[in-house]
């Protein structure tokens, strides 16, 4: 009898942990005064999410976007200039080069000046001098708009001489190359406006200021590339005929 009693008591003790685990899993807490329910300290609570201080810094996405755009623009104009060189070397009868109108040199001065003013704006933003940077950005945007206006004056001067896209491949390439460049400069002006609005007020934190500097640097790559590309186009159209 004693042995049977001991085995029965052991079976009861083995069932208690199972009941307690099931109660905890089903969300039933211990009732007031009850002794069989689980204690509140036995429940497992989710650990609060804590941000690791050693997390890597945020990736500068603007840098990769600028590289992609520069690669795409460079390949586009490389193809156009390749076609220009191929036709110019063949010396076809329809190929009739002409002297560039003087408005082209005004355009060159404007885009070079805009590159200088943007360099000054970028330097001011990097030094957290936002008032000075804002003024230089406004000057850069104005010079970019003046460059676009000067391109229309160039086309009007050519049209006044009877030079159009059809009838002369050289004139056609002049219009196509300068128009393609103008479209990309217009996109750069939109990016300039974004940088200008972003830096209209001082940065609230050092991280925000660093982020603004990175974006201004990436947009600067694009803008300076547009100025360099214009000089390359001018060299081909003016001296490789």
């Amino acid at each position: 009898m004693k042995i049977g009693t001991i085995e029965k008591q052991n079976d009861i003790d083995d069932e208690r942990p199972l009941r307690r685990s099931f109660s905890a899993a089903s969300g039933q807490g211990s009732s007031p005064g009850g002794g069989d329910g689980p204690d509140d300290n036995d429940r497992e609570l989710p650990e609060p999410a804590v941000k690791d201080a050693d997390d890597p810094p945020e990736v500068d996405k603007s840098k990769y976007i600028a590289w992609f755009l520069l690669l795409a623009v460079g390949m586009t104009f490389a193809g156009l200039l390749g076609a220009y060189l191929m036709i110019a070397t063949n010396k076809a009868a329809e190929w009739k080069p002409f002297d560039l109108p003087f408005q082209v040199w005004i355009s060159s001065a404007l885009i070079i000046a805009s590159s200088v003013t943007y360099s000054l704006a970028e330097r001011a933003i990097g030094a957290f001098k936002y008032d000075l940077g804002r003024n230089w950005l406004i000057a850069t945007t104005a010079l970019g708009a003046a460059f676009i206006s000067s391109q229309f004056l160039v086309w009007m001067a050519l049209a006044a001489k009877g030079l159009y896209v059809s009838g002369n491949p050289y004139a056609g390439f002049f219009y196509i190359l300068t128009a393609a460049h103008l479209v990309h400069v217009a996109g750069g002006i939109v990016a300039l406006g974004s940088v200008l609005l972003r830096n209209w007020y001082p940065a609230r934190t050092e991280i925000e200021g660093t982020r603004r500097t990175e974006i201004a640097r990436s947009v600067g790559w694009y803008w300076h590339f547009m100025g360099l590309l214009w000089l390359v186009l001018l060299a081909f159209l003016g001296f490789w005929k």
Side-chain angles (χ1 to χ4, degrees):
M1 294 295 294
K2 292 182 179 181
I3 295 176
T5 306
I6 292 174
E7 291 177 353
K8 186 176 181 179
Q9 183 65 30
N10 290 337
D11 293 340
I12 296 174
D13 293 339
D14 292 340
E15 291 177 358
R16 287 179 179 176
L18 296 176
R19 293 176 180 176
R20 182 171 301 176
S21 301
F22 177 78
S23 299
S26 61
Q28 295 176 357
S30 59
S31 58
D36 293 338
D39 189 81
D40 291 339
N41 295 328
D42 294 337
R43 299 179 181 178
E44 295 183 0
L45 300 177
E47 296 182 0
V50 179
K51 185 177 181 180
D52 191 0
D54 297 331
D55 287 344
E58 186 179 356
V59 178
D60 182 12
K61 298 179 181 179
S62 63
K63 175 175 62 177
Y64 298 102
I65 294 175
W67 287 352
F68 174 78
L69 290 176
L70 293 180
L71 180 61
V73 174
M75 292 179 63
T76 300
F77 279 91
L80 291 175
L81 289 175
Y84 173 87
L85 288 177
M86 183 178 65
I87 297 179
T89 338
N90 291 335
K91 298 297 182 180
E94 297 82 6
W95 187 263
K96 299 175 182 178
F98 49 81
D99 293 333
L100 300 181
F102 74 93
Q103 290 89 345
V104 168
W105 309 109
I106 297 177
S107 300
S108 303
L110 289 172
I111 201 165
I112 292 174
S114 69
S115 186
V116 174
T117 55
Y118 191 88
S119 297
L120 296 174
E122 187 179 352
R123 185 179 303 178
I125 293 173
F128 304 106
K129 300 178 180 179
Y130 294 104
D131 291 340
L132 182 60
R134 180 182 60 205
N135 294 335
W136 285 122
L137 285 173
I138 293 175
T140 305
T141 306
L143 288 171
F147 172 82
I148 292 179
S149 301
S150 67
Q151 290 297 285
F152 285 102
L153 295 178
V154 171
W155 296 339
M156 291 172 61
L158 294 180
K161 295 181 180 180
L163 299 171
Y164 301 99
V165 176
S166 59
N168 185 354
Y170 175 81
F173 270 105
F174 186 94
Y175 280 105
I176 292 173
L177 290 172
T178 54
H181 182 266
L182 182 143
V183 170
H184 289 85
V185 170
I189 291 180
V190 174
L192 284 177
S194 175
V195 175
L196 177 60
L197 294 177
R198 188 182 293 269
N199 293 277
W200 195 264
Y201 297 103
R204 292 171 294 182
T205 62
E206 184 178 356
I207 296 178
E208 182 182 354
T210 303
R211 179 62 176 162
R212 292 184 183 184
T213 303
E214 293 173 348
I215 295 176
R217 176 211 58 204
S218 300
V219 174
W221 289 346
Y222 182 88
W223 190 256
H224 297 318
F225 183 76
M226 287 296 105
L228 178 62
L229 182 59
W230 171 255
L231 296 179
V232 172
L233 295 179
L234 193 63
F236 276 87
L237 294 171
F239 304 99
W240 196 312
K241 301 179 181 181

